[in-house]
C-alpha cells in the first residue's frame, strides 16, 4: 500500500520526508515523491526506488521546512514519473498526496476536464488536487471538506497550499493516518514506523476525521467540522514491531487486513443490484456471450483461488471451466484456443510458469485476462484484460490477503460475464452483491474467533500428518488450508475431496490422526458427514469448519471452528480464515520462521 509522510517544523523538510518514506519501504512501492513549500510549491518525483528520488534531489535540492511525501503502489495508471505523487492543480498552488481509491474519479475527471482542467497523470489522485483548487475560497480546510464531499471511496488525502503555507490538512476515510507530535515540529504519516525515531507520541486519526497540522501540533475534527478531543498515545513498540502494526508477524497482520482488502477490491466495482464495473476488463458483452470455455491457470495459492473460480463459473455461469496448474498447462500440447477465455491468476504477476502458460494461451488465440495484485507486472502487460486485486503489498511468503482478493475478483468477474450471457438473473446478482458487501463485517467476526483456531493448533501441533477434506467449494478451501499448514508449519498435510477418503487414504487414519473437515456446502452436508463418521470410526480427531447454526457436527467433532451463517456460494471467503489462523498458530507453537518459511520465495520467477 502507498506510504504518506508530512512534516512542519524548523528543520529542512526534504531529508525528513525522504527518510520517513524509506522507513515505509517494507510496504512495497513503485515510485516516490516529495513536495516542499517555500514561497512556491516545488515537487520532485521519480519512478522506481527512493534512490532515484534521492539522485534527483541531489541535483535539484528542495529548500523549505514544510512538506509532504509519498511512496506509490500503483492502482490507477502505470508506475511512471507522471503518475507518481505528489500531484498539483494546474496553477501549482495546491498539492496532494493520496492513498486508496477515489471510486468516482472518472466522472469527476470528466466534469473537471469539461470545465477546462488539463490532467498530467492517469491517476485518480490528481483529481483531488484539481478539486481542492476549484473549491478554494480563502479557507483550505473548507476546500478540502468540499472536495471530500464530492469524492467517494476509501482513502487518506493530504493537502498543502502556498496560499496557507504553514499548515498541512489531511483527511482519513478508512486508509490509515497518524500524527507524530514533536517538540516544535509535527509529523504526519500513514504508519507509525515512518516517524518513530522522531517521536513516540501519536494522535491516531479515525475514519471521517480531518486534521490540521502545524509546527505547534494538530487539531482534529470530524469531516463535518465537529471538534474532536483526541488524546495522544505513547508508543513503546520498537521499529520492527511497528512495521507489523503491533502484530507478531506480517502473516498475522495480513490475515487481519482481509476485511479491509475485501472492501478495497470491491470499491467502485459492484452496485447493490449486482451490476459490475471492471475498469480494465475491456471485452464487450458480445465477446462474453460467445465464450465456449474458460481456462484458469496459476500456481500454488493462486491455483487454489482458481479452484474456487472454477466452481463459481460452473455453478452460476453454467460455463465449462477448467483450472490447470500453469506448469502443467504450459507443456500440455496446446489445448486452449479461440473463443476460450484464459484467466491467469498471480499475486506477483511475475511467476515464470504462469507467465509461460498465459503466453501459450494467447499464442493459441485465447483472450487472456490477468487477475493480479501488482500494477504494471509482466502478466498485466501481457494481458488483454486486467482485474487488479488491490490487496496491497503482501510481505509474508504465505499468501493470505492476496488469496482473499483473488476470490473476490472472481465473484465480480462471474457477475460481469453472467450478466452478458444472461445466466445470472437479477435476483442472484443482487444476492451475491449483498453477500459480498456484508463480507467485511462477517470476516471481522471470524477474526474475533482466533482463540478457536489456537485451540485447533494445539491439537495438531505435534501430529505427523494432517488431512483436509471437503466437497465442491469446500474441497477447494481444503486445498488452500492444507498448503498453508505445510508451508509454514512443516507438517505433512494433504487435502482431498471427502468422497475420495475411502478410496485409499482412509488406511492412514488411525487413533488421533487429525482430519480437518469443511462443512459449508449444505447440499452435500450429509455426504460429508458420512466421511466424518468413517474418520471417527478409526479414531481420527475431527476438526470441523462449520456454520454457527450447525449443531449436528457437535456430535462428531473434537473441535469446531465456527463461521457466521451465509450463502454457501460465498462461504469459502470466510471459511479460509480459520484455516489461515490455525496454520499460523501451529507454526508459531513450533517456533518456525513464519514470514520467511524455509526453502520458499515470495515470487517464483524461475521455472
Ligand atoms: O505470485 P503468484 O500468485 O503467482 O505466486 C504463486 C505461488 O508461488 C504462491 O501462491 C505460493 O504458493 C504461496 N507461497 C502460497 O502461500
Amino acid at each position: 500500500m502507498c506510504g504518506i509522510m508530512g512534516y512542519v517544523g524548523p528543520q529542512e523538510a526534504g531529508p525528513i520526508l525522504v527518510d520517513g518514506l524509506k522507513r515505509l519501504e517494507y510496504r512495497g512501492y513503485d515510485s516516490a515523491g516529495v513536495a516542499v513549500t517555500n514561497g512556491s510549491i516545488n515537487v520532485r518525483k521519480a519512478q522506481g526506488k527512493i534512490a532515484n528520488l534521492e539522485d534527483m534531489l541531489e541535483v535539484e535540492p528542495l529548500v523549505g521546512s514544510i512538506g509532504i511525501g509519498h511512496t506509490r503502489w500503483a492502482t490507477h495508471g502505470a508506475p511512471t514519473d507522471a503518475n507518481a505523487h505528489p500531484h498539483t492543480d494546474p496553477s501549482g498552488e495546491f498539492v496532494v498526496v493520496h492513498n486508496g481509491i477515489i471510486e468516482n474519479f472518472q466522472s469527476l475527471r470528466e466534469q473537471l476536464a469539461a470545465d477546462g482542467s488539463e490532467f498530467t497523470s492517469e491517476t485518480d489522485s490528481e483529481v483531488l488536487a484539481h478539486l481542492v483548487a476549484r473549491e478554494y475560497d480563502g479557507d483550505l480546510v473548507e476546500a478540502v471538506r468540499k472536495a471530500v464531499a464530492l469524492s467517494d471511496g476509501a482513502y487518506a488525502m493530504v493537502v498543502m497550499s502556498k496560499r496557507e503555507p504553514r499548515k498541512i490538512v489531511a483527511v482519513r476515510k478508512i486508509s490509515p493516518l497518524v500524527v507524530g507530535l514533536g517538540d516544535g515540529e509535527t509529523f504526519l504519516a500513514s504508519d507509525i514506523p515512518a516517524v518513530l525515531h522522531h517521536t513516540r507520541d501519536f494522535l491516531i486519526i479515525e475514519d471521517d476525521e480531518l486534521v490540521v497540522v502545524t509546527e505547534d501540533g494538530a487539531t482534529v475534527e470530524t469531516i463535518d467540522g465537529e471538534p474532536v478531543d483526541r488524546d495522544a498515545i505513547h508508543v513503546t513498540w520498537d521499529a520492527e514491531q511497528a512495521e507489523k502494526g503491533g502484530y507478531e508477524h506480517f502473516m498475522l497482520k495480513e490475515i487481519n487486513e482481509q476485511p479491509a482488502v475485501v472492501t478495497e477490491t470491491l470499491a467502485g466495482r459492484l452496485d447493490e443490484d449486482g451490476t459490475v464495473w471492471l475498469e480494465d476488463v475491456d471485452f464487450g458483452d458480445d465477446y462474453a456471450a460467445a465464450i465456449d470455455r474458460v481456462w484458469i491457470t496459476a500456481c500454488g495459492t493462486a491455483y487454489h483461488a482458481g479452484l474456487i473460480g472454477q466452481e463459481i463459473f460452473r455453478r452460476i455461469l453454467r460455463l465449462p471451466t477448467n483450472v490447470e496448474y500453469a506448469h502443467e498447462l504450459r507443456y500440455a500440447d496446446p489445448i486452449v484456443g479461440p473463443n476460450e477465455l484464459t484467466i491467469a491468476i498471480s499475486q506477483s504477476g511475475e511467476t515464470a510458469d504462469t507467465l509461460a502458460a498465459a503466453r501459450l494461451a494467447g499464442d493459441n488465440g485465447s483472450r487472456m485476462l490477468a487477475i493480479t495484485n501488482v500494477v504494471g507486472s509482466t502478466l498485466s502487460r501481457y494481458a488483454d484484460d486486467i482485474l487488479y486485486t488491490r490487496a496491497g503489498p503482501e510481505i509474508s511468503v504465505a499468501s493470505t490477503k492476496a488469496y482473499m482478493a483473488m476470490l473476490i475478483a472472481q465473484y465480480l468477474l462471474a457477475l460481469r460475464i453472467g450478466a452478458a450471457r444472461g445466466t445470472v438473473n437479477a435476483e442472484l446478482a443482487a444476492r451475491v452483491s449483498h453477500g459480498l458487501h456484508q463480507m467485511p463485517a462477517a470476516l471481522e467476526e471470524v477474526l474475533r474467533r482466533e482463540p478457536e483456531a489456537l485451540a485447533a493448533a494445539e491439537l495438531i501441533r505435534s501430529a505427523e500428518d494432517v488431512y483436509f477434506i471437503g466437497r465442491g467449494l469446500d474441497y477447494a478451501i481444503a486445498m488452500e488450508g492444507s498448503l498453508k499448514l505445510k508451508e509454514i508449519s512443516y507438517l505433512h498435510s494433504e487435502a482431498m475431496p471427502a468422497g475420495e477418503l475411502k478410496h485409499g487414504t482412509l488406511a492412514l487414519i488411525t487413533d488421533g490422526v487429525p482430519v480437518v473437515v469443511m462443512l459449508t456446502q449444505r447440499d452435500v452436508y450429509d455426504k460429508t458427514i458420512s466421511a466424518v463418521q468413517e474418520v471417527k470410526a478409526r479414531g481420527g480427531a475431527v476438526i470441523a469448519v462449520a456454520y454457527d447454526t450447525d449443531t449436528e457436527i457437535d456430535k462428531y467433532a473434537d473441535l469446531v471452528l465456527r463461521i457466521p451463517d451465509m450463502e454457501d456460494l460465498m462461504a469459502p471467503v470466510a471459511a479460509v480464515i480459520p484455516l489461515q489462523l490455525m496454520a499460523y498458530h501451529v507454526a508459531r507453537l513450533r517456533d518456525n520462521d513464519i514470514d520467511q518459511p524455509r526453502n520458499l520465495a515470495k515470487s517464483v520467477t524461475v521455472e
Side-chain angles (χ1 to χ4, degrees), residues 348-350 355 368 370 372 374-386 388:
S348 60
E350 303 296 346
L355 293 175
M368 215 287 285
T372 182
V374 180
V375 174
S377 57
T378 308
L379 186 66
S380 73
R381 292 202 300 275
Y382 181 69
D384 300 299
D385 307 285
I386 315 165
Y388 287 118

Side-chain angles (χ1 to χ4, degrees), residues 429-503:
R431 256 175 39 218
V432 174
S433 171
H434 179 75
L436 291 174
H437 282 121
Q438 298 300 308
M439 197 55 79
L443 299 191
E444 295 285 4
E445 177 57 35
V446 180
L447 287 166
R448 279 194 282 277
R449 300 172 185 188
E450 187 178 344
E452 292 176 2
L454 175 57
E458 300 273 9
L459 194 78
I460 64 176
R461 64 184 289 188
S462 308
E464 298 269 312
D465 313 283
V466 182
Y467 297 93
F468 288 74
I469 59 172
R471 287 169 190 265
L473 285 165
D474 276 342
Y475 164 56
I477 290 293
M479 290 285 284
E480 175 57 8
S482 169
L483 177 67
K484 219 72 314 166
L485 183 68
K486 73 179 97 168
E487 72 176 326
I488 57 169
S489 75
Y490 315 147
L491 289 182
H492 167 253
S493 92
E494 248 182 77
M496 70 207 72
E500 188 61 17
L501 194 62
K502 57 185 175 297
H503 294 288

Side-chain angles (χ1 to χ4, degrees), residues 299-302 345-351 354 397-399 406 480 483-484 487 600-604:
C299 301
T301 283
I345 309 179
S346 172
Q347 184 283 129
S348 60
E350 303 296 346
T351 299
T354 308
V397 166
S399 184
M406 289 167 185
E480 175 57 8
L483 177 67
K484 219 72 314 166
E487 72 176 326
L600 300 180
K602 184 66 188 160
S603 180
V604 186

Side-chain angles (χ1 to χ4, degrees), residues 296 301-315 321 323 345 403-404 406-408 410-411 414 472-480 521 568-573 575-576:
I296 302 177
T301 283
Y303 171 84
H304 297 152
L307 288 173
I308 301 283
Q310 180 186 42
E311 278 286 312
I312 302 169
F313 285 22
R314 285 182 180 168
R315 275 199 208 182
T321 304
V323 55
I345 309 179
Y403 170 80
M404 173 66 63
M406 289 167 185
L407 301 191
I408 301 299
Q410 290 178 100
Y411 287 99
L473 285 165
D474 276 342
Y475 164 56
I477 290 293
M479 290 285 284
E480 175 57 8
Q521 301 301 299
D568 294 4
L569 185 67
M570 254 88 73
V573 181
V576 74

Side-chain angles (χ1 to χ4, degrees), residues 64-391:
S65 58
I66 172 165
I68 59 179
H70 192 263
T71 42
R72 172 174 189 252
W73 197 72
T75 56
H76 289 77
T80 60
D81 288 354
N83 288 337
H85 296 215
H87 291 286
T88 55
D89 75 303
S91 72
E93 295 189 347
F94 298 85
V95 64
V96 166
V97 297
H98 159 242
N99 282 358
I101 291 168
I102 306 296
E103 293 171 10
N104 58 337
F105 94 98
Q106 201 59 49
S107 65
L108 291 171
R109 191 176 164 116
E110 281 160 18
Q111 285 165 29
L112 287 158
D115 294 342
S117 274
E118 282 183 18
F119 291 88
T120 56
S121 79
E122 302 157 283
T123 64
D124 51 345
S125 316
E126 190 185 357
V127 162
L128 292 172
H130 289 237
L131 274 182
V132 173
R134 189 188 75 184
E135 300 300 330
Y136 187 77
D137 190 16
D139 183 346
L140 187 58
V141 167
E142 203 46 43
V144 169
R145 201 174 275 136
K146 284 182 178 159
V148 168
L150 294 166
S151 310
D152 301 335
Y155 56 87
M157 76 183 278
V158 180
V159 185
M160 200 171 64
S161 171
K162 70 173 248 191
R163 304 274 192 101
E164 299 182 33
R166 292 307 294 170
K167 69 167 68 140
I168 297 171
V169 180
V171 169
R172 172 176 176 164
K173 280 185 89 180
I174 298 190
S175 297
L177 205 55
V178 298
V179 173
L181 302 170
D183 189 8
E185 56 185 355
T186 313
F187 307 84
L188 187 72
S190 50
D191 295 81
I192 288 174
V195 292
L196 197 55
H197 55 301
H198 292 294
T199 177
R200 292 193 160 269
D201 296 319
F202 288 90
L203 295 176
I204 309 296
I205 308 305
E206 304 286 357
D207 287 345
D208 296 317
E209 286 181 354
L210 180 149
V211 60
V212 180
V213 177
T214 66
E215 51 250 277
D216 301 324
T219 51
V220 186
E221 54 189 71
T222 67
I223 197 65
D224 302 323
E226 293 298 318
V228 172
D229 193 11
R230 177 70 30 81
D231 290 335
I233 59 159
H234 185 75
V235 172
T236 52
W237 308 328
D238 63 26
E240 200 195 323
Q241 282 170 315
E243 283 182 3
K244 293 174 187 154
Y247 291 100
E248 207 177 327
H249 300 96
F250 281 112
M251 182 181 179
L252 189 59
K253 175 173 181 268
E254 287 160 3
I255 289 172
N256 279 279
E257 282 170 357
Q258 290 178 114
V261 164
V262 173
T263 305
E264 196 91 343
T265 307
L266 292 176
R269 290 172 165 172
L270 179 64
D271 285 352
E272 260 175 44
D273 66 1
T275 307
V276 167
W277 315 95
L278 300 177
E279 58 278 11
D280 296 308
V281 173
D282 295 327
F283 59 68
D285 286 358
D286 288 352
Y287 173 80
I291 299 170
D292 289 335
R293 177 176 295 276
V294 174
W295 292 89
I296 302 177
T297 191
C299 301
T301 283
Y303 171 84
H304 297 152
L307 288 173
I308 301 283
Q310 180 186 42
E311 278 286 312
I312 302 169
F313 285 22
R314 285 182 180 168
R315 275 199 208 182
I316 71 172
L317 300 181
R318 308 301 301 161
L319 185 56
T321 304
N322 297 59
V323 55
E324 296 281 343
Y325 283 115
H327 36 84
E328 289 293 309
L329 186 65
R330 67 182 291 190
Y331 294 115
D333 210 11
I335 45 174
V336 180
N339 281 350
E340 296 183 344
L341 173 67
T342 301
I343 302 172
I345 309 179
S346 172
Q347 184 283 129
S348 60
E350 303 296 346
T351 299
D353 285 317
T354 308
L355 293 175
R359 284 209 171 94
L360 175 96
D363 292 349
N364 283 283
S366 175
R367 192 174 176 108
M368 215 287 285
L369 185 149
I371 296 181
T372 182
N373 198 29
V374 180
V375 174
S377 57
T378 308
L379 186 66
S380 73
R381 292 202 300 275
Y382 181 69
D384 300 299
D385 307 285
I386 315 165
L387 212 173
Y388 287 118
T389 48
R390 303 179 183 162

